[in-house]
Amino acid sequence: MERLVQASLPPDQGHILGIVSQSDKQAEMFTNGFLKNSLPGMSKKEIGDFMLRKAVVLKYAKKEKKKKNKKRAKGLNAKQRREMKVFQLKPEHQKYELFLPLHELWEQYIRDLCNGLKPESNPQTIQQRLLKADFHGAILTVARSKCPSYVGTTGILVQEMKHVFKIITKEDKLKVIPKRNSVFAVEIDGFVSHIYGSKFELRSSERSAKKFKVKGTIDL
């Protein structure tokens, strides 16, 4: 069997397979060169002793490293956020003056969003842009409400949630105003807009992707 394995291929079969058998001397030279490159720093005798009764690996394949399952850091759930009071504004931070810089940034943001608020600006275009705008920092006034005690309340919007606006008044009081059944007025550069809270019962991030009907939402 060993003699059959080591025997040269007949010329006609080698031609069909595209293989040219090497002579014994060529095969020996190739093997010695391969072992010398594979086992650098070893003498011919050491290589002979090392390869005694060992198989020669003609092709080396790297073992694929197993990917470690990295656990993604989980964020806090709604219950944990409530328990940690993540969204609650501390009493010492409930100061109207602290949020005036935010209001100035909001005014510039609206001017850039609407490409400048001018008398000749198209009201419907501004209306559509305001519908999807972020109102954090805007000065809101409750113009109408089913609850009369809310009417006339004015302050800077510091937090918008799905169903309520949280505003800080000039008296440094935090007011929580329900969106539903309330109409809010916002003024900037002489433009007065009325926000119908029932149409804003979304988070600001969700509102930016929602399609609104023009009529009955904001009047300029």
Side-chain angles (χ1 to χ4, degrees), residues 96 103 106 134-143 150 152-160 164-169 175 177 179 183-187 193-195 200:
Y96 185 83
H103 172 63
W106 180 81
D134 191 316
F135 279 85
H136 287 90
I139 294 180
L140 299 181
T141 300
V142 182
Y150 290 138
T153 305
T154 301
I156 298 175
L157 176 63
V158 295
Q159 190 175 19
E160 178 184 356
V164 299
F165 285 133
K166 292 185 179 182
I167 64 176
I168 292 288
T169 68
K175 298 287 186 179
I177 313 295
K179 292 181 179 180
V183 180
F184 302 86
V186 57
E187 186 271 335
S193 304
H194 288 88
I195 301 170
F200 269 57

Side-chain angles (χ1 to χ4, degrees), residues 4-198:
L4 182 62
V5 171
Q6 295 180 353
S8 300
L9 285 172
D12 55 337
Q13 293 182 12
H15 178 73
I16 294 171
L17 297 173
I19 299 173
V20 178
S21 296
Q22 294 182 328
S23 64
D24 293 343
K25 187 176 181 180
Q26 289 175 324
E28 184 179 357
M29 289 175 62
F30 170 79
T31 303
N32 290 335
F34 175 81
L35 292 175
K36 188 175 181 180
N37 291 331
S38 300
L39 303 170
M42 297 179 67
S43 65
K44 187 174 182 180
K45 183 177 182 306
E46 289 173 335
I47 291 175
D49 294 337
F50 179 78
M51 295 302 299
L52 186 65
R53 296 180 182 179
K54 289 185 180 290
V56 179
V57 181
L58 297 178
K59 187 176 181 181
Y60 175 73
K62 290 184 178 180
K63 293 182 179 179
E64 293 183 1
K65 293 182 179 179
K66 292 183 178 180
K67 294 182 179 179
K68 295 181 179 180
N69 293 327
K70 294 183 178 179
K71 293 183 179 180
R72 294 183 179 179
K74 293 183 178 179
L76 299 174
N77 57 37
K79 183 179 178 181
Q80 290 172 328
R81 288 196 294 266
R82 286 194 298 269
E83 291 175 350
M84 296 177 67
K85 301 180 180 180
V86 173
F87 296 117
Q88 288 191 18
L89 197 63
K90 294 181 180 179
E92 59 268 27
H93 297 156
Q94 297 176 16
K95 304 293 182 183
Y96 185 83
E97 290 185 359
L98 290 178
F99 294 94
L100 285 175
L102 176 63
H103 172 63
E104 293 173 1
L105 288 173
W106 180 81
E107 286 186 318
Q108 188 56 52
Y109 154 69
I110 292 297
R111 292 186 189 106
D112 294 341
L113 181 67
C114 299
N115 297 320
L117 294 169
K118 302 174 184 178
E120 61 271 18
S121 298
N122 186 337
Q124 288 189 350
T125 301
I126 295 175
Q127 180 180 9
Q128 284 296 324
R129 290 177 180 176
L130 288 178
L131 281 168
K132 298 187 177 185
D134 191 316
F135 279 85
H136 287 90
I139 294 180
L140 299 181
T141 300
V142 182
R144 296 194 298 275
S145 176
K146 279 194 174 182
C147 182
S149 62
Y150 290 138
V151 177
T153 305
T154 301
I156 298 175
L157 176 63
V158 295
Q159 190 175 19
E160 178 184 356
M161 306 186 81
K162 187 173 183 180
H163 298 291
V164 299
F165 285 133
K166 292 185 179 182
I167 64 176
I168 292 288
T169 68
K170 289 184 178 180
E171 294 76 29
D172 297 333
K173 292 183 179 179
L174 180 66
K175 298 287 186 179
V176 180
I177 313 295
K179 292 181 179 180
R180 182 169 295 186
N181 300 323
S182 295
V183 180
F184 302 86
V186 57
E187 186 271 335
I188 178 173
D189 294 346
F191 283 80
V192 179
S193 304
H194 288 88
I195 301 170
Y196 290 79
S198 59

